[in-house]
Amino acid sequence: MKRYGIIGGTFDPIHYAHLYIAYEAKEQLNLDEVIFMPAGKQPFKVNKEVTESKLRYDMVKTAIESYAEFSVSNYEIEKGGLSFTYETLEYFKNKSTEDMELFFITGADCLITLEQWQGIEKIFSLATLVVFPREGINNKQMIEKKQEIEEKYNGKIIVLDLKKLEISSTYIRERVNRKQRIDFFVPQMVIDIIYKNGLYIDK
């Protein structure tokens, strides 16, 4: 049985912490492949300004080119409408002709709001949830929420053992707008897309 990790997010822009998380998930969970899933339209971000989906997809595709164990899917972008995790997991289960085990990788901040997601029971029936630490969520809070949700929904949640990398897409966008260097945080080919398209600069 093949084991696939799906890491969702806006990726606006993708950065080195995303790549590190995906790699560690692959190693710690013995995954065959990690699929990056740039979000189409996220229910919790409908009122936030987000970079055009094609550019976010291109940034992810460019960033992972040298990693044979990574791939990118445009399913949520092409689907249109709001993006719901349970629909994405169903899509991968239904399109596959082989037995697969799915792991959905997301931040601890999403664990806190998980009960607001649509189809939470379906998510746990289709995949194991994998969370990684995020700034602002302490370990005690994360473990307590993990145990609470596992018991309530009879689901399985794995917490990745990661070094904390204090990098965020918000911080990178702010640095671009302030005309500060970002090559410490973002692959050069992604930087080229950012500046070629004038992204993250206040007009």
Side-chain angles (χ1 to χ4, degrees), residues 122-137:
K122 285 187 179 180
I123 291 172
F124 281 120
S125 72
L126 293 164
T128 297
L129 194 66
V130 180
V131 298
F132 53 86
R134 288 293 293 264
E135 187 178 4
I137 308 295

Side-chain angles (χ1 to χ4, degrees), residues 61-85:
K61 184 178 179 182
T62 297
I64 67 172
E65 277 181 354
S66 61
Y67 299 87
E69 59 269 67
F70 296 164
S71 65
V72 58
S73 171
N74 64 355
Y75 164 71
E76 289 191 1
I77 291 171
E78 293 297 317
K79 179 180 77 73
L82 294 176
S83 299
F84 295 107
T85 297

Side-chain angles (χ1 to χ4, degrees), residues 92-103:
F92 277 97
K93 282 282 190 180
N94 292 335
K95 82 162 194 166
S96 177
T97 57
E98 62 184 359
D99 287 335
M100 62 161 59
E101 188 172 1
L102 292 178
F103 297 79

Side-chain angles (χ1 to χ4, degrees), residues 5 12-13 19 30 51-53 58 81-82 91 97-98 104 107 112 118 131 133-134 143 161 163 173 179:
D12 195 13
L19 300 177
N30 193 29
T51 299
E52 178 190 345
S53 57
D58 287 346
L82 294 176
Y91 165 76
T97 57
E98 62 184 359
F104 186 76
I112 302 302
Q118 282 201 21
V131 298
R134 288 293 293 264
I143 296 303
D161 180 19
K163 296 290 185 184
R173 294 194 300 270
K179 298 181 172 56

Side-chain angles (χ1 to χ4, degrees), residues 17-76:
H18 292 132
L19 300 177
Y20 167 64
I21 291 163
Y23 178 79
E24 285 298 316
K26 180 186 180 300
E27 292 295 298
Q28 293 180 33
L29 304 174
N30 193 29
L31 303 178
D32 293 285
E33 185 178 328
V34 176
I35 303 165
F36 283 77
M37 180 66 64
K41 196 170 186 181
Q42 293 176 305
F44 296 118
K45 294 188 177 181
V46 290
N47 295 319
K48 292 187 177 181
E49 186 175 336
V50 177
T51 299
E52 178 190 345
S53 57
K54 182 185 182 304
L55 289 174
R56 290 186 290 109
Y57 175 86
D58 287 346
M59 285 191 281
V60 173
K61 184 178 179 182
T62 297
I64 67 172
E65 277 181 354
S66 61
Y67 299 87
E69 59 269 67
F70 296 164
S71 65
V72 58
S73 171
N74 64 355
Y75 164 71
E76 289 191 1

